[in-house]
Amino acid sequence: MSDTGRESEEDRNDERLFHVDGTLVPESAATVSVRDRGFMYGDGVFETLRVYGGDPFEWASHRERLGRAAERLGLGDAIPADLRERVEETLEANGLDEAYLKVSVTRGAQPGTLTPDPDVDPTVVVYVSELSRGGVDGEAVWDGPATVQTVRTRRAPDSALPADGKTHNYLPSILARLELQRSATDEFAADEALVRTTDDALACGAASNVFFVDGGTLKTPTTDLPILPGVTRSVVLGLAASEDFPVEQGRYGVADLRDADEAFLTNSTWELRPVGRVDGLDLPVGPMTKLLARLFDERIEREHYS
């Protein structure tokens, strides 16, 4: 800020630029209406993904999931046809080749009533921030194996809250992370909340999918449960299949994870993050986790940097 308390043109030129409703604007001007339904009711959808070497990873899969979630909210026509171009413009304007990317589409500003107006003027935002390089020569965004802790907050049934897409109503995951905050001490703080279904099945992390190895078989909760079908999860399952690893998608309890030979979490930002402790019990970083992480890095290197 300048000595007068006003933002100078030089300050503004140094700001990151976001894409808001078709226009690139400085971060300080990247605002939405207080009547936006995403703000008022969580009435919107979003996707987060990694950008490697200037290219959004698995864009087609993320775009398809965004569209599927939007359709469930009656917003299928709200996603702009030029969304990919807006993403590329935002990355180029910020000079970012390695980035965290978030695209968000809400029903837009409407009168403050619960029932949506059928006429939709959506709010579309593209947000980016810098991340480290990925691939074989990259650097993980996490600083060690994850400590996970089971929480009381449950994963909502799909009949209550769509599980197969990301909506702005992220309150269950926030409540799960708040449980971790409340239980943290100077000596112990968990990195991720382990969330169950309402009937006690192992579901997922607050912001991650869960994998574990039992007797040489790679296991992960089935999408028949109300879990997000993660894009990185799908990539890992493909890598495991390419190596002929035994893979099982099923229904498990927290005890199955505690007793596992090894385990890891997946999401777009973490990629594959080993689990080092579950509810106070130590787990080794095992050979299957290490191999899948290496295969993932090699794929990123081959597709985005070679």
Side-chain angles (χ1 to χ4, degrees):
M1 298 292 288
S2 67
D3 292 340
T4 63
R6 295 182 179 178
E7 184 180 47
S8 69
E9 186 65 29
E10 182 178 355
D11 291 332
R12 175 159 290 193
N13 288 339
D14 289 338
E15 286 186 79
R16 185 172 289 119
L17 299 174
F18 299 146
H19 224 296
V20 181
D21 292 336
T23 303
L24 283 165
V25 295
E27 181 175 0
S28 62
T31 59
V32 298
S33 169
V34 295
R35 299 176 72 180
D36 188 274
R37 289 183 60 90
F39 167 72
M40 295 182 72
Y41 302 118
D43 189 6
V45 295
F46 73 97
E47 281 289 316
T48 57
L49 56 155
R50 286 283 294 264
V51 175
Y52 301 108
D55 297 322
F57 180 60
E58 290 290 309
W59 170 259
S61 296
H62 281 283
R63 174 62 180 81
E64 189 276 332
R65 191 172 67 181
L66 182 72
R68 186 172 65 243
E71 287 287 350
R72 291 197 66 175
L73 269 62
L75 293 174
D77 295 334
I79 300 177
D82 66 344
L83 183 60
R84 177 64 183 267
E85 287 74 17
R86 297 187 193 194
V87 166
E88 292 174 350
E89 288 175 10
T90 309
L91 291 169
E92 183 177 357
N94 289 282
L96 291 178
D97 288 329
E98 312 296 329
Y100 165 96
L101 168 67
K102 181 175 181 178
V103 294
S104 170
V105 181
T106 79
R107 207 178 301 268
Q110 293 189 3
T113 59
L114 187 60
T115 302
D117 191 316
D119 295 325
V120 176
D121 183 12
T123 298
V124 182
V125 175
V126 180
Y127 168 97
V128 293
S129 63
E130 187 173 6
L131 281 183
S132 57
R133 185 193 193 278
V136 173
D137 296 324
E139 179 181 354
V141 300
W142 39 267
D143 57 7
T147 295
V148 302
Q149 179 177 319
T150 305
V151 295
R152 292 187 301 273
T153 300
R154 302 306 177 102
R155 185 77 174 171
D158 184 69
S159 58
L161 189 66
D164 62 348
K166 292 187 174 183
T167 71
H168 279 223
N169 195 327
Y170 228 52
L171 189 58
S173 291
I174 293 170
L175 290 173
R177 289 287 180 87
L178 284 173
E179 284 193 54
L180 298 188
Q181 283 187 351
R182 288 194 294 267
S183 64
T185 66
D186 292 339
E187 293 76 28
F188 172 84
D191 301 295
E192 179 62 304
L194 193 62
V195 183
R196 295 164 290 170
T197 64
T198 55
D199 57 353
D200 284 336
L202 175 66
C204 54
S208 59
N209 289 117
V210 178
F211 288 82
F212 63 95
V213 178
D214 177 22
T217 298
L218 181 65
K219 299 182 177 182
T220 191
T222 174
T223 52
D224 291 339
L225 297 169
I227 68 168
L228 181 76
V231 172
T232 306
R233 173 187 183 274
S234 179
V235 170
V236 169
L237 288 172
L239 292 172
S242 71
E243 295 294 312
D244 294 325
F245 291 157
V247 176
E248 178 183 289
Q249 300 183 55
R251 180 186 174 93
Y252 313 104
V254 173
D256 295 309
L257 181 62
R258 294 171 181 162
D259 294 337
D261 301 318
E262 54 185 289
F264 60 89
L265 308 172
T266 62
N267 66 27
S268 291
T269 306
W270 285 348
E271 303 169 325
L272 279 75
R273 183 174 184 178
V275 172
R277 178 174 289 189
V278 181
D279 293 337
L281 302 174
D282 291 337
L283 282 182
V285 179
M288 192 177 294
T289 300
K290 293 177 181 177
L291 177 56
L292 288 170
R294 179 172 62 80
L295 292 173
F296 186 90
D297 287 343
E298 288 175 351
R299 173 174 171 172
I300 297 300
E301 193 72 29
R302 182 172 61 252
E303 294 184 356
H304 295 273
Y305 299 114
S306 299

